Amino acid sequence: MAFKLTDYEAYDFANRRHIGPSPTEMAEMLKVIGFKTLDDLIDATVPEAIRQQEPLDWGPAMTERDALYHMKEVAGQNKVLTSLIGQGYYGTSTPAPILRNILENPAWYTAYTPYQPEISQGRLEALLNYQTMVSDLTGMDIANASLLDEATAAAEAMAMAHRGARSKANNAAFFVDQNCHAQTIAVIQTRAAPLGIDVVVADPDELDPGAVFGAIFQYPGTYGHVRDFTDEIKALHDHKGIAVVAADILSLALLKSPGEMGADIAIGSTQRFGVPMGYGGPHAAYMATTDKLKRAMPGRIIGVSIDSRGNKAYRLALQTREQHIRREKANSNVCTAQALLAVMASMYAVYHGPDGIKAIAQSVHRKTSRLAAGLEEHGFKVEPEVFFDTITVEVGPLQQTVMEAAVARGINLRKVGETKVGISLDEQTRKETIEAVWGAFGIAREDDSSNKQYRLPDYALRESAYLTHPIFHKNRAEAEITRYMRRLADRDLALDRSMIPLGSCTMKLNATVEMIPVTWPEFGNLHPFCPKDQAMGYHAMIEDLNDKLCQITGYDAISQQPNSGAQGEYAGLLTIRNYHAARGEAHRNVCLIPTSAHGTNPASAQMVGYKVVPVVADDHGNIDVADFRAKAEKHSDHLAACMITYPSTHGVFEDTVQEVCEITHEHGGQVYIDGANMNAMVGLAQPGKIGGDVSHLNLHKTFCIPHGGGGPGMGPIGVKSHLTDHLPGHPEYGSAVGPVSAAPFGSPSILPVSWAYILLMGGAGLTQATKVAILNANYIAARLKDAYGILYTSATGRVAHECILDTRALNDEGGVTVDDVAKRLVDSGFHAPTMSWPVAGTLMVEPTESEPKDELDRFCDAMLSIRAEAQDVIDGKIDPQNNPLKNAPHTVRDLVGDWDRPYSREAACFPPGSLGVDKYWSPVNRVDNAYGDRNLICTCPPMSDYDESGDS
Ligand SMILES: *Cc1c(COP(=O)(O)O)cnc(C)c1O
């Protein structure tokens, strides 16, 4: 026989690594759905009228090797100097075990927000540690697990004070300490304007407590002053005002806490607890408050509850405050926050413990004292007299010279006014750093680290204890914390274990290659306010990414400032608001929003002062165009905007979208298209071309940034050219429009993920991904439609990239709830689909393009088996309460106990899909949410409360 040599092509990223089903599998799946080719399916699904004419094309996709090489070159254009700029961002040493086992570990970074508590016990515990750490250090009763950045946390605190203030001056003014960081003041001003709040920025000595509903003070101040605010806070309280303290978390290891001064709210950043500066983010901001105000606090709060066996279990507490339930009446629009970074900061506290944290704080302070003494001895005037880690030096006409001399020595100092230089030291400051700073001032001097001088003010010294819980008192062996992190990770289901079919959330592959550049020092170690010529790599990346996102969306400009989808909505609506105002139409304040919209939409509209007018859906789940038109006409004079999602939150490409946009425009409104569903559009249709004026993209959905267990995220907005001048600006860039985030580019150190994805896929690859996302969803719909019924489809019978399974009949006929289905899926090793949104009692499934056919089938098999179990309940073949659905999830505890159930242990623990020996075991039985809210505990419970099963 003749030997025939076949040429093999290496599997590339775009065609095979990112996209789940193989070509053979796709053919099988198309057959099940009833189509010959993928393009036939797409033609029958995406309406002709909205199809993109020109294919996406910016040259061939890169290989993984080429992409990393290219990115390394671009990253190399960033110059990594030692930044002593301070202003809320500091050098920090990420402990290596935390870098490797958390930040670089898919078990942590690919997890979803812990809405399903049974499969989230690990990250819930880490986040509870975070809350305990924040409560302890700030001296407050309760903390949340996390806000987006320090500046937005300050703005949230102002809004919270505004809602909660009982002072007569309500609706009057909010006082802002002029020693707050510049970006904090700017973000507060942005947030205040649409709410009609006057912002008074002044020295705390000038505070008139009767004239404001609240005040924020910075501690220590941005130029280093440490002031005890007890008297100001008391004066505010006498006038029923609310006091907010923005505190540096590390300084609190040595300084009296905000709680001890009487503060009502404390906010700040936990960046310097081991999270790299990353040119501005992501980092976790914290907020803590008093027991009295806890229900007014925004953001996610972890609480302690019990499971059905009465064992301790964690879950999200007080969810009724949040946007997904309260919509425009919510405390804020915060959805995605900074969970992964909060976990890192909490582990930093677990790793160092109170003594270690105190040692770091003392060392930072002593270094600053020595630096100041050296400057003073050489005749420089140093302010303030007492400080923690920040000093300001008067240099007269030498400002430029000193700053340049510092840069020549590899150090960035802060420009303060025209004659001063600011210096903030940190954990990473070395003897050589201090000597180089002196050198920049023309001082030749050796640093003597045996000099242990303290210059902290007596009136602000901390005497109270912190981090007293045993979790912060491990024995410091690395073996112990490594195993602790591993144990917590093992309790959770993340994408590294199974698909997470969460409708709207797009839990697709977060490829390892995309994550590699994130921890390069060239991206990690830049201060957001370093000189621009040191950040050329960042600027080149952002420019290229923006250019490609414009091509993808059909918009003309992108702002990378919003650091979550909800912040993108807020930024986009502000842009619309600015546009109307610039045209003399500032009175426009009505926003039409379909009732099926994501909760962040109405919550964001409320933040810009818009009145939400709901629009109903027709019987097919589409926007009722007649209702939409009637409401647009009724509010024509005041119509500011509509907010729609496309394809709809019902998972359907509505063919009326252009009509809806036209109606809005006819009545003078602007169209906001929520871009969370871009995964169904990239390469096939463009929001900027079908009538949208502005959209946000969730880079942590469509563009592969991992969810991190509830953040980080990026929510850049795209706008048409008429809105470009009204995009958010930043004090560092001197724009007239205010900022919405602390840093000019939000959380730029995670942008390499999205950029890598786009480079690796190329235009054709991205388009193919969209098509396969639609294929996968239609395959699941085809396999499950007879068992469950698909709630909404298009006129052609198709779904977009997700579909709603109707589980309501199971409840009506057999009392099997959507919760029962979700928890039973845990026994098969799956995270449940999105529950009860956008339609109560249903499940919304989004498989994404990254899931291979085997995994889709495993999911469908599990769902079909659950349907059969529900039928047994409906038919009366099994007890309506004591059955595998109601008792789910099953744990090892169930197995070893007495077994008096009308079904077998085998059926309980090994339903279809459960993977036998590789089965995921839920660490707890079903969690009782109501109990947790009735008995609210939001800090680590005492060790005696832990059962002896070995749970930490
Ligand atoms: C996820 C999502 C949002 C909010 O995005 P976050 O980043 O969580 O703030 C808004 N709208 C829709 C439809 C979404 O799915």
Side-chain angles (χ1 to χ4, degrees), residues 876-900:
K877 289 188 187 150
I878 192 163
D879 187 280
Q881 288 311 316
N882 191 5
N883 64 54
L885 295 160
K886 291 284 173 202
N887 291 329
H890 295 84
T891 62
V892 173
R893 282 296 168 99
D894 291 332
L895 277 186
V896 298
D898 289 339
W899 193 265
D900 55 352

Side-chain angles (χ1 to χ4, degrees), residues 135-146:
S135 296
D136 278 10
L137 283 165
T138 57
M140 306 299 293
D141 298 325
I142 183 170
N144 70 12
S146 77

Side-chain angles (χ1 to χ4, degrees), residues 689-812:
K689 292 281 158 68
I690 61 175
D693 298 295
V694 48
S695 293
H696 75 265
L697 302 172
N698 291 67
L699 298 190
H700 49 299
K701 295 179 181 171
T702 317
F703 294 92
C704 296
I705 291 174
H707 259 64
M714 271 294 278
I717 53 174
V719 295
K720 301 293 285 178
S721 56
H722 64 282
L723 295 176
T724 310
D725 289 344
H726 307 288
L727 284 170
H730 196 280
E732 286 288 308
Y733 288 76
S735 157
V737 185
V740 296
S741 300
F745 303 99
S747 298
S749 70
I750 49 174
L751 290 179
V753 178
S754 299
W755 194 42
Y757 174 59
I758 287 174
L759 296 177
L760 290 162
M761 296 295 278
L766 290 173
T767 309
Q768 177 73 357
T770 308
K771 293 178 181 175
V772 178
I774 292 171
L775 169 68
N776 279 2
N778 278 281
Y779 177 71
I780 286 189
R783 278 209 62 194
L784 297 181
K785 68 173 190 298
D786 293 340
Y788 288 96
I790 307 302
L791 189 56
Y792 297 120
T793 56
S794 67
T796 58
R798 306 266 57 93
V799 300
H801 65 313
E802 58 193 4
C803 61
I804 298 178
L805 302 180
D806 198 347
T807 44
R808 292 173 299 189
L810 311 190
N811 195 5
D812 295 347

Side-chain angles (χ1 to χ4, degrees), residues 335-336 504 564-566 569 598 600-601 645 674 676 696 698 700-701:
C335 179
T336 290
S504 211
S564 77
E569 294 168 17
H598 196 268
T600 51
N601 289 190
T645 305
D674 181 323
H696 75 265
N698 291 67
H700 49 299
K701 295 179 181 171

